[in-house]
Amino acid sequence: MANLQKVAFYTLGCKLNFSETSTIARSFKSEGFQRVEFSEEADIYVINTCSVTENADKRFKTIVKQAQKANEDAFVIAIGCYAQLKPEELADVNGVDLVLGATEKFKITDYLNDLTKQGFAEIHSCEIEDADFYESAYSFGDRTRAFLKVQDGCDYKCTYCTIPLARGISRSDNLQNVLNNASEIAAKGIKEIVLTGVNIGDYGKGEFGDKKHEHTFLDLVKALDEVEGINRLRISSIEPNLLKNETIDFVAQSNSFVPHFHIPLQSGSNHILKAMRRRYMRELYVEKVSQIKTVMPNACIGVDVIVGFPGETEEYFLETYNFLNELDISYLHVFSYSERENTPAAEMEHVVPLSTRKKRSKMLRGLSAKKRRAFYESQLETTHTVLFEGENKEGYIHGFTENYVKVKTPWNPELVNTLHQIKLDKIDEDGIVRFTYNEPEFAN
Ligand code: SF4
């Protein structure tokens, strides 16, 4: 259908969603559609939704309104986790024309024969059990680094989480396909690849459509480290119980994997971890952090933590606060617990008042700022490699070192998507690090 109809995309949520939007956008391109920015006038608007985002429903309505403002006659399509979990709710939003569930989102171009607005939305959803097959994806062209999907779904049963209900069972891409995608991305001049999925430490499960583990996450890491042309490989987020010491040791001596680990903790209280039905106790978390810091002292460690989970007394919260305060970590991502339908936690007693959740969240974000500053200070006067991004932010170009220190320098378009050796000098008032080049040809 070679027509120059215009399509625009809006993605909510995680790196996995961005990799899938980018892949779906490429399928539109191969059908002859022209991709435009979401703020521009388009014939079709595709919104890739998230079920974890705070106020996901309000966000979705605002985005639909934005599309309608750009072109009130446009065909609006909702895909993604929220579309799988609550198709009727999205279909009821004024302006939505089509809602596709998990099994249909990659077949979206099959639904474009008739783009006339009917005044109501068609729903093509499914039982999540039907979404047991794997769709490969990676992001390209939207950012400096590419998000490479290697795994989807999750078999864990954390009591606060809806992701298994939105994305289905744990399943993986076959190893050769991942390596091919990585080579393809590298050939496009992308310098950094971020491995993404839902529970990537479970990589290998369902690789060939069954429950068996053909390969492990460590096999994947070792194989990717051999791929020609990739400068950097970053592990997005990995469960502590699935981050094997062998993997940590391998990353420490690898060619391309960077010393940056993002490891969900969720709580520093074993009592709360049990109620969350997490698969480790805090002692294992301490062991992982010390293993990393032993073999990679300059490694960056990011931590996900939830505050206000049902039953989290002041005492349990302070246990989490003190636990994190004592741990050699670099920053926190703090989430306020919010009830999700069809999750066991939503039925639990001892609900923590919203104001308390807010107060605790503020305290942990304060702790995160302190940790990040301490980590950045520990890196001053040391040499690193920076990958510059592509945006001119108030006259500056930003970039990240391999160990995730954010740096900046006056805007220079020649630096976009380039790697440079630098020495970290000082932390600016905005918390971003200034540096000097460690390359004679790049005199300061
Ligand atoms: S590991 Fe737990 S929190 Fe993470 S996606 Fe699976 S069920 Fe959700």
Side-chain angles (χ1 to χ4, degrees), residues 153-164 198-199 239 242 264 266 276-279 306:
C154 185
D155 292 343
Y156 285 17
K157 301 254 178 298
C158 304
T159 52
Y160 52 83
C161 184
T162 53
I163 299 173
V198 172
N199 193 350
E239 295 294 312
L242 293 175
Q266 308 307 19
M276 289 175 164
R277 219 182 288 154
R278 298 289 285 163
R279 296 192 179 196
I306 297 174

Side-chain angles (χ1 to χ4, degrees), residues 55-69:
N55 309 322
D57 48 349
K58 289 198 193 73
R59 292 285 309 279
F60 179 73
K61 287 182 182 139
T62 313
I63 297 163
V64 173
K65 280 207 183 83
Q66 205 184 323
Q68 289 180 302
K69 205 154 141 249

Side-chain angles (χ1 to χ4, degrees), residues 238-244 263-265 278 280 284-285 288:
I238 185 165
E239 295 294 312
N241 52 303
L242 293 175
L243 178 57
K244 305 297 177 203
I263 314 170
L265 168 71
R278 298 289 285 163
Y280 53 86
L284 177 130
Y285 202 90
K288 294 299 166 190

